[in-house]
Amino acid sequence: MIIPQNRLLWLFGSTILPMTLAAAVSPALNPMLWIVVAGVLALGLFDALSMPRRSYSLVLVFPEKLHLTRNRGADLEFKVQALQSGARTFQLALELPAGIASAQRLLPLSAAPDGSDVVIRWPIIGLRRGEYRSIRCHYRAPSRLGLWYAQMRHEAGTRLRVYPDIGHD
């Protein structure tokens, strides 16, 4: 999926909107308006089409299972491989099940210079006892000009098991 960045919205708001208002006041500016509109649209289209979607596919390696104690923090440790293929920076976000919480919402991530794996330790807390399986990792990679994001999703096969805190329950 491709989504716009704030930079694209700023470009639109600072060029096309003022040119449209100027053309409404002075019809002699209509040819210039069409040139500016065509230029901005061509720039946005070029940036969107130059995003090789396959090169942004990461390999995320999650653990098979993780045991947690209720209301105690732990780290969900996983590896990000193949960061050298395409984008230099990424943004990661985890979609956790209802019984699991995390103070961290978004993680900016840069590629390792040598192309090695990057190990992530995501802080989580088990809020309710039970077994949870639905963890999704969403990641975004910026386009070359920074006008768009390529957004992808990865289903983690991790089984999270939250046990009661015997000392406090």
Side-chain angles (χ1 to χ4, degrees), residues 40-107:
V40 170
L41 290 177
L43 184 68
L45 187 62
F46 168 75
D47 194 36
L49 294 177
S50 67
M51 291 176 55
R53 285 157 192 73
R54 276 193 207 128
S55 68
Y56 293 131
S57 60
L58 300 177
V59 177
L60 302 171
V61 181
F62 283 86
E64 186 177 319
K65 60 184 172 179
L66 181 64
H67 298 278
L68 304 169
T69 302
R70 190 175 140 228
N71 294 329
R72 291 203 184 173
D75 287 336
L76 174 60
E77 186 175 302
F78 58 96
K79 290 182 185 178
V80 180
Q81 299 174 343
L83 273 177
Q84 73 277 10
S85 62
R88 296 170 304 283
T89 59
F90 288 87
Q91 292 179 351
L92 292 174
L94 289 184
E95 184 181 338
L96 298 168
I100 308 293
S102 177
Q104 188 167 352
R105 298 281 181 211
L106 188 67
L107 176 68

Side-chain angles (χ1 to χ4, degrees), residues 22-44:
V25 172
S26 175
L29 293 176
N30 279 341
M32 184 188 294
L33 167 69
W34 288 110
I35 292 171
V36 171
V37 168
V40 170
L41 290 177
L43 184 68

